[in-house]
Amino acid sequence: MAGTNLVGPEVDALELGVVLRALADGHRRSVMTELAADRTDSERGCNSFDLPISKQTQTHHFRILREAGLIDEIDYGNRKGIRLRRTDVESRFPGLLALLEAEHQDGTAPR
């Protein structure tokens, strides 16, 4: 079943301040460190992240990441998938994903 892509900003419109505010939250940064460490860049379900928060709060965090331009959300009606916008983030902010991946590998990602 094809989903509807919930669109974030174009790559040229990604703003460092918005991205840094999105990453300032520990739960959102934890999602991003996992995504950055997964080089397959496959689509993941929102429930595949071990976040100790309600579904409503997860939805809020994924919306913030999408609006910052860090992820794509795909709405399938009864569920959503997310995918890292690796190419866009790397072209706009070189090295950012490497820092997030290193945080994941060091085990210092917030929970």
Side-chain angles (χ1 to χ4, degrees):
M1 177 167 122
T4 304
N5 196 11
L6 303 174
V7 180
E10 294 293 324
V11 67
D12 294 341
L14 297 179
E15 297 180 27
L16 182 59
V18 174
V19 168
L20 292 178
R21 279 191 297 277
L23 294 175
D25 178 84
H27 296 302
R28 291 191 292 263
R29 197 165 64 256
S30 175
V31 167
M32 289 302 299
T33 60
E34 281 189 51
L35 291 173
D38 179 8
R39 292 301 186 134
T40 65
D41 291 335
S42 58
E43 182 179 312
R44 291 187 52 181
C46 293
N47 294 330
S48 69
F49 298 93
D50 185 25
L51 297 173
I53 54 178
S54 71
K55 186 175 179 180
Q56 282 179 294
T57 305
Q58 285 183 31
T59 298
H60 165 75
H61 287 305
F62 289 122
R63 181 180 54 81
I64 297 296
L65 291 172
R66 176 177 44 86
E67 289 175 351
L70 296 169
I71 64 169
D72 280 329
E73 276 187 294
I74 302 91
D75 186 353
Y76 294 102
N78 62 347
R79 67 179 177 87
K80 286 185 182 171
I82 67 164
R83 186 177 313 121
L84 177 64
R85 291 178 58 182
R86 184 177 299 275
T87 303
D88 293 343
V89 174
E90 276 299 317
S91 69
R92 188 77 168 114
F93 308 111
L96 177 62
L97 294 178
L99 292 171
L100 291 169
E101 182 178 0
E103 185 175 338
H104 181 77
Q105 290 173 347
D106 291 342
T108 58
R111 286 277 166 192

